Short mmCIF file of all heavy atoms in Angstrom, two decimals:
data_model
loop_
_atom_site.label_atom_id
_atom_site.label_comp_id
_atom_site.label_asym_id
_atom_site.label_seq_id
_atom_site.Cartn_x
_atom_site.Cartn_y
_atom_site.Cartn_z
N ASP A 245 2.93 17.89 34.56
CA ASP A 245 4.03 17.12 35.18
C ASP A 245 4.94 16.44 34.17
O ASP A 245 6.13 16.33 34.40
CB ASP A 245 3.43 16.02 36.08
CG ASP A 245 2.92 16.61 37.39
OD1 ASP A 245 3.06 17.82 37.60
OD2 ASP A 245 2.37 15.81 38.17
N LYS A 246 4.34 15.90 33.12
CA LYS A 246 5.12 14.97 32.30
C LYS A 246 5.41 15.50 30.88
O LYS A 246 6.31 14.98 30.21
CB LYS A 246 4.38 13.63 32.19
CG LYS A 246 4.15 12.97 33.58
CD LYS A 246 3.47 11.63 33.44
CE LYS A 246 2.82 11.19 34.76
NZ LYS A 246 3.84 10.90 35.83
N LEU A 247 4.64 16.48 30.41
CA LEU A 247 4.86 17.01 29.07
C LEU A 247 5.52 18.38 29.07
O LEU A 247 6.36 18.68 28.20
CB LEU A 247 3.52 17.14 28.31
CG LEU A 247 2.69 15.90 27.96
CD1 LEU A 247 1.47 16.34 27.16
CD2 LEU A 247 3.54 14.92 27.17
N ASP A 248 5.11 19.18 30.00
CA ASP A 248 5.39 20.61 29.86
C ASP A 248 6.88 20.90 29.86
O ASP A 248 7.62 20.44 30.72
CB ASP A 248 4.69 21.40 30.98
CG ASP A 248 4.49 22.87 30.54
OD1 ASP A 248 4.49 23.12 29.32
OD2 ASP A 248 4.33 23.70 31.43
N HIS A 249 7.29 21.69 28.87
CA HIS A 249 8.69 22.04 28.67
C HIS A 249 8.65 23.05 27.56
O HIS A 249 7.78 23.00 26.69
CB HIS A 249 9.45 20.78 28.21
CG HIS A 249 10.96 21.01 28.16
ND1 HIS A 249 11.78 20.71 29.22
CD2 HIS A 249 11.75 21.53 27.20
CE1 HIS A 249 13.03 21.02 28.90
NE2 HIS A 249 13.04 21.52 27.69
N PRO A 250 9.57 24.02 27.54
CA PRO A 250 9.56 24.98 26.43
C PRO A 250 9.59 24.27 25.09
O PRO A 250 10.30 23.29 24.90
CB PRO A 250 10.83 25.78 26.65
CG PRO A 250 11.11 25.66 28.12
CD PRO A 250 10.64 24.29 28.52
N VAL A 251 8.79 24.74 24.18
CA VAL A 251 8.70 24.12 22.85
C VAL A 251 9.64 24.87 21.89
O VAL A 251 9.60 26.09 21.81
CB VAL A 251 7.25 24.14 22.35
CG1 VAL A 251 7.17 23.69 20.88
CG2 VAL A 251 6.39 23.23 23.24
N SER A 252 10.45 24.10 21.17
CA SER A 252 11.45 24.69 20.29
C SER A 252 10.97 24.69 18.84
O SER A 252 10.38 23.71 18.38
CB SER A 252 12.75 23.87 20.35
OG SER A 252 13.21 23.82 21.69
N ALA A 253 11.29 25.75 18.13
CA ALA A 253 10.96 25.83 16.72
C ALA A 253 11.81 24.85 15.91
O ALA A 253 12.96 24.59 16.25
CB ALA A 253 11.17 27.27 16.22
N LEU A 254 11.22 24.33 14.83
CA LEU A 254 11.94 23.43 13.96
C LEU A 254 13.12 24.15 13.34
O LEU A 254 13.01 25.33 12.97
CB LEU A 254 11.00 22.89 12.87
CG LEU A 254 9.78 22.13 13.38
CD1 LEU A 254 8.94 21.65 12.20
CD2 LEU A 254 10.19 20.94 14.25
N GLY A 255 14.23 23.48 13.23
CA GLY A 255 15.43 24.08 12.62
C GLY A 255 16.33 24.75 13.61
O GLY A 255 17.46 25.12 13.31
N THR A 256 15.83 24.93 14.85
CA THR A 256 16.72 25.53 15.85
C THR A 256 17.64 24.46 16.41
O THR A 256 17.44 23.27 16.26
CB THR A 256 15.91 26.19 16.98
OG1 THR A 256 15.07 25.20 17.58
CG2 THR A 256 15.07 27.34 16.47
N GLN A 257 18.66 24.97 17.08
CA GLN A 257 19.65 24.05 17.65
C GLN A 257 19.17 23.59 19.01
O GLN A 257 18.84 24.39 19.88
CB GLN A 257 20.99 24.79 17.75
CG GLN A 257 22.10 23.88 18.21
CD GLN A 257 23.49 24.60 18.19
OE1 GLN A 257 23.82 25.27 17.19
NE2 GLN A 257 24.26 24.42 19.22
N ALA A 258 19.13 22.26 19.20
CA ALA A 258 18.73 21.69 20.53
C ALA A 258 19.90 21.74 21.47
O ALA A 258 19.74 21.82 22.68
CB ALA A 258 18.26 20.27 20.33
N GLY A 259 21.12 21.67 20.94
CA GLY A 259 22.31 21.61 21.74
C GLY A 259 23.44 21.14 20.84
O GLY A 259 23.35 21.23 19.62
N THR A 260 24.50 20.66 21.47
CA THR A 260 25.64 20.17 20.69
C THR A 260 25.92 18.72 21.04
O THR A 260 25.47 18.22 22.08
CB THR A 260 26.89 21.01 20.95
OG1 THR A 260 27.16 20.97 22.36
CG2 THR A 260 26.68 22.46 20.51
N LEU A 261 26.62 18.07 20.17
CA LEU A 261 26.87 16.64 20.31
C LEU A 261 27.75 16.39 21.52
O LEU A 261 28.83 16.96 21.66
CB LEU A 261 27.55 16.10 19.04
CG LEU A 261 27.42 14.61 18.78
CD1 LEU A 261 25.98 14.20 18.51
CD2 LEU A 261 28.34 14.19 17.58
N THR A 262 27.25 15.53 22.43
CA THR A 262 28.04 15.23 23.63
C THR A 262 29.25 14.36 23.25
O THR A 262 29.31 13.77 22.18
CB THR A 262 27.20 14.44 24.64
OG1 THR A 262 26.81 13.20 24.05
CG2 THR A 262 25.96 15.22 25.04
N ALA A 263 30.15 14.28 24.20
CA ALA A 263 31.33 13.43 23.99
C ALA A 263 30.92 11.99 23.78
O ALA A 263 31.43 11.28 22.92
CB ALA A 263 32.26 13.57 25.20
N GLU A 264 29.93 11.57 24.58
CA GLU A 264 29.46 10.17 24.47
C GLU A 264 28.84 9.91 23.08
O GLU A 264 29.13 8.93 22.42
CB GLU A 264 28.44 9.89 25.56
CG GLU A 264 27.98 8.45 25.57
CD GLU A 264 26.89 8.22 26.65
OE1 GLU A 264 26.16 9.16 26.97
OE2 GLU A 264 26.80 7.06 27.14
N ALA A 265 27.98 10.87 22.63
CA ALA A 265 27.35 10.68 21.34
C ALA A 265 28.37 10.82 20.21
O ALA A 265 28.23 10.19 19.15
CB ALA A 265 26.22 11.70 21.17
N ALA A 266 29.36 11.62 20.45
CA ALA A 266 30.44 11.72 19.43
C ALA A 266 31.15 10.40 19.28
O ALA A 266 31.52 9.97 18.18
CB ALA A 266 31.43 12.85 19.84
N GLU A 267 31.32 9.74 20.42
CA GLU A 267 31.96 8.41 20.35
C GLU A 267 31.08 7.41 19.63
O GLU A 267 31.56 6.62 18.79
CB GLU A 267 32.25 7.94 21.80
CG GLU A 267 33.19 6.75 21.85
CD GLU A 267 33.43 6.34 23.28
OE1 GLU A 267 33.29 7.20 24.22
OE2 GLU A 267 33.74 5.16 23.50
N TRP A 268 29.77 7.43 19.94
CA TRP A 268 28.85 6.52 19.22
C TRP A 268 28.94 6.69 17.70
O TRP A 268 28.98 5.76 16.95
CB TRP A 268 27.39 6.80 19.61
CG TRP A 268 27.02 6.49 21.03
CD1 TRP A 268 27.62 5.63 21.89
CD2 TRP A 268 25.92 7.07 21.74
NE1 TRP A 268 26.99 5.60 23.11
CE2 TRP A 268 25.91 6.49 23.04
CE3 TRP A 268 24.94 8.01 21.44
CZ2 TRP A 268 24.97 6.81 24.01
CZ3 TRP A 268 23.97 8.33 22.38
CH2 TRP A 268 24.02 7.76 23.69
N THR A 269 28.86 7.95 17.31
CA THR A 269 28.63 8.25 15.89
C THR A 269 29.92 8.44 15.11
O THR A 269 29.90 8.41 13.87
CB THR A 269 27.83 9.55 15.76
OG1 THR A 269 28.56 10.61 16.43
CG2 THR A 269 26.44 9.43 16.36
N GLY A 270 31.02 8.72 15.81
CA GLY A 270 32.24 9.03 15.09
C GLY A 270 32.25 10.45 14.57
O GLY A 270 33.14 10.83 13.80
N LEU A 271 31.27 11.25 14.97
CA LEU A 271 31.20 12.65 14.51
C LEU A 271 31.90 13.53 15.56
O LEU A 271 32.05 13.16 16.71
CB LEU A 271 29.74 13.08 14.35
CG LEU A 271 28.93 12.25 13.34
CD1 LEU A 271 27.49 12.74 13.26
CD2 LEU A 271 29.57 12.29 11.94
N PRO A 272 32.26 14.72 15.15
CA PRO A 272 32.97 15.61 16.09
C PRO A 272 32.13 16.02 17.27
O PRO A 272 30.96 16.41 17.09
CB PRO A 272 33.29 16.82 15.22
CG PRO A 272 33.15 16.41 13.80
CD PRO A 272 32.13 15.33 13.82
N GLU A 273 32.66 15.94 18.45
CA GLU A 273 31.99 16.47 19.65
C GLU A 273 31.75 17.97 19.45
O GLU A 273 32.53 18.68 18.82
CB GLU A 273 32.89 16.26 20.86
CG GLU A 273 32.24 16.71 22.15
CD GLU A 273 33.17 16.52 23.37
OE1 GLU A 273 34.19 15.83 23.24
OE2 GLU A 273 32.87 17.09 24.43
N GLY A 274 30.58 18.41 19.97
CA GLY A 274 30.30 19.82 19.93
C GLY A 274 29.61 20.35 18.68
O GLY A 274 29.27 21.53 18.61
N ILE A 275 29.41 19.49 17.66
CA ILE A 275 28.71 20.00 16.49
C ILE A 275 27.22 20.19 16.81
O ILE A 275 26.71 19.64 17.78
CB ILE A 275 28.87 19.09 15.24
CG1 ILE A 275 28.27 17.69 15.51
CG2 ILE A 275 30.31 19.00 14.80
CD1 ILE A 275 28.19 16.82 14.27
N ALA A 276 26.57 20.96 15.97
CA ALA A 276 25.17 21.31 16.21
C ALA A 276 24.25 20.11 16.05
O ALA A 276 24.43 19.30 15.13
CB ALA A 276 24.74 22.42 15.24
N VAL A 277 23.23 20.05 16.92
CA VAL A 277 22.17 19.05 16.80
C VAL A 277 20.85 19.82 16.73
O VAL A 277 20.57 20.65 17.64
CB VAL A 277 22.16 18.08 17.97
CG1 VAL A 277 21.03 17.06 17.82
CG2 VAL A 277 23.51 17.36 18.09
N ALA A 278 20.06 19.56 15.72
CA ALA A 278 18.76 20.26 15.56
C ALA A 278 17.71 19.63 16.50
O ALA A 278 17.87 18.48 16.93
CB ALA A 278 18.29 20.17 14.14
N VAL A 279 16.65 20.37 16.79
CA VAL A 279 15.53 19.77 17.56
C VAL A 279 14.87 18.69 16.70
O VAL A 279 15.04 18.64 15.48
CB VAL A 279 14.49 20.81 17.99
CG1 VAL A 279 15.12 21.86 18.91
CG2 VAL A 279 13.82 21.45 16.82
N GLY A 280 14.15 17.83 17.36
CA GLY A 280 13.53 16.69 16.70
C GLY A 280 12.51 17.08 15.64
O GLY A 280 12.05 18.24 15.57
N ASN A 281 12.13 16.09 14.84
CA ASN A 281 11.17 16.36 13.75
C ASN A 281 10.49 15.04 13.38
O ASN A 281 10.83 13.97 13.88
CB ASN A 281 11.92 16.95 12.53
CG ASN A 281 11.06 17.95 11.81
OD1 ASN A 281 9.86 17.79 11.68
ND2 ASN A 281 11.69 18.98 11.25
N VAL A 282 9.52 15.13 12.48
CA VAL A 282 8.74 13.97 12.08
C VAL A 282 8.94 13.70 10.57
O VAL A 282 9.07 14.62 9.80
CB VAL A 282 7.24 14.21 12.40
CG1 VAL A 282 6.36 13.04 11.90
CG2 VAL A 282 7.05 14.41 13.90
N ASP A 283 8.91 12.44 10.25
CA ASP A 283 9.28 12.01 8.89
C ASP A 283 8.47 12.68 7.78
O ASP A 283 9.05 13.13 6.79
CB ASP A 283 9.25 10.48 8.75
CG ASP A 283 8.01 9.84 9.40
OD1 ASP A 283 7.06 10.55 9.74
OD2 ASP A 283 8.03 8.60 9.57
N ALA A 284 7.16 12.76 7.94
CA ALA A 284 6.37 13.38 6.86
C ALA A 284 6.68 14.85 6.73
O ALA A 284 6.91 15.36 5.64
CB ALA A 284 4.88 13.19 7.13
N HIS A 285 6.68 15.53 7.85
CA HIS A 285 6.78 16.99 7.81
C HIS A 285 8.14 17.45 7.35
O HIS A 285 8.26 18.46 6.66
CB HIS A 285 6.46 17.52 9.22
CG HIS A 285 5.13 17.05 9.71
ND1 HIS A 285 4.92 15.76 10.14
CD2 HIS A 285 3.93 17.68 9.82
CE1 HIS A 285 3.65 15.59 10.50
NE2 HIS A 285 3.02 16.73 10.31
N VAL A 286 9.17 16.69 7.72
CA VAL A 286 10.53 17.06 7.33
C VAL A 286 10.75 16.91 5.83
O VAL A 286 11.73 17.43 5.28
CB VAL A 286 11.53 16.25 8.18
CG1 VAL A 286 11.73 14.86 7.61
CG2 VAL A 286 12.83 16.96 8.34
N THR A 287 9.84 16.16 5.20
CA THR A 287 9.96 15.95 3.77
C THR A 287 9.67 17.22 2.96
O THR A 287 10.15 17.38 1.85
CB THR A 287 9.01 14.79 3.33
OG1 THR A 287 9.41 13.63 4.06
CG2 THR A 287 9.16 14.49 1.83
N ALA A 288 8.85 18.11 3.53
CA ALA A 288 8.49 19.33 2.80
C ALA A 288 9.70 20.15 2.37
O ALA A 288 9.87 20.44 1.18
CB ALA A 288 7.49 20.15 3.61
N PRO A 289 10.59 20.52 3.29
CA PRO A 289 11.76 21.28 2.83
C PRO A 289 12.69 20.47 1.90
O PRO A 289 13.35 21.03 1.04
CB PRO A 289 12.49 21.67 4.12
CG PRO A 289 11.89 20.84 5.22
CD PRO A 289 10.50 20.48 4.77
N ALA A 290 12.68 19.14 2.07
CA ALA A 290 13.48 18.34 1.13
C ALA A 290 13.00 18.54 -0.28
O ALA A 290 13.78 18.45 -1.23
CB ALA A 290 13.42 16.83 1.52
N ALA A 291 11.71 18.80 -0.43
CA ALA A 291 11.12 19.05 -1.75
C ALA A 291 11.05 20.55 -2.04
O ALA A 291 10.38 20.96 -2.99
CB ALA A 291 9.73 18.43 -1.82
N ARG A 292 11.74 21.37 -1.27
CA ARG A 292 11.74 22.83 -1.39
C ARG A 292 10.30 23.40 -1.28
O ARG A 292 10.02 24.45 -1.86
CB ARG A 292 12.29 23.26 -2.75
CG ARG A 292 13.79 23.16 -2.82
CD ARG A 292 14.28 23.93 -4.07
NE ARG A 292 15.47 23.32 -4.58
CZ ARG A 292 15.85 23.36 -5.85
NH1 ARG A 292 15.12 24.04 -6.74
NH2 ARG A 292 16.93 22.77 -6.25
N ALA A 293 9.44 22.67 -0.58
CA ALA A 293 8.03 23.12 -0.47
C ALA A 293 7.87 23.85 0.87
O ALA A 293 7.39 23.31 1.83
CB ALA A 293 7.10 21.92 -0.56
N VAL A 294 8.30 25.10 0.90
CA VAL A 294 8.30 25.85 2.15
C VAL A 294 7.36 27.05 2.06
O VAL A 294 7.12 27.71 3.07
CB VAL A 294 9.72 26.32 2.52
CG1 VAL A 294 10.60 25.09 2.77
CG2 VAL A 294 10.32 27.19 1.41
N GLU A 295 6.86 27.34 0.88
CA GLU A 295 5.99 28.50 0.73
C GLU A 295 4.51 28.08 0.87
O GLU A 295 4.15 26.97 0.56
CB GLU A 295 6.20 29.14 -0.65
CG GLU A 295 7.58 29.71 -0.85
CD GLU A 295 7.93 30.75 0.23
OE1 GLU A 295 7.06 31.57 0.60
OE2 GLU A 295 9.08 30.74 0.71
#
Side-chain angles (χ1 to χ4, degrees):
Chain A
D245 284 357
K246 301 182 199 293
L247 295 183
D248 203 21
H249 189 94
V251 171
S252 304
L254 300 180
T256 57
Q257 185 173 314
T260 57
L261 202 65
T262 63
E264 185 183 28
E267 193 180 336
W268 293 338
T269 58
L271 300 178
E273 183 182 347
I275 62 170
V277 179
V279 298
N281 214 325
V282 175
D283 44 14
H285 305 73
V286 81
T287 301
R292 284 194 212 152
V294 297
E295 296 303 320

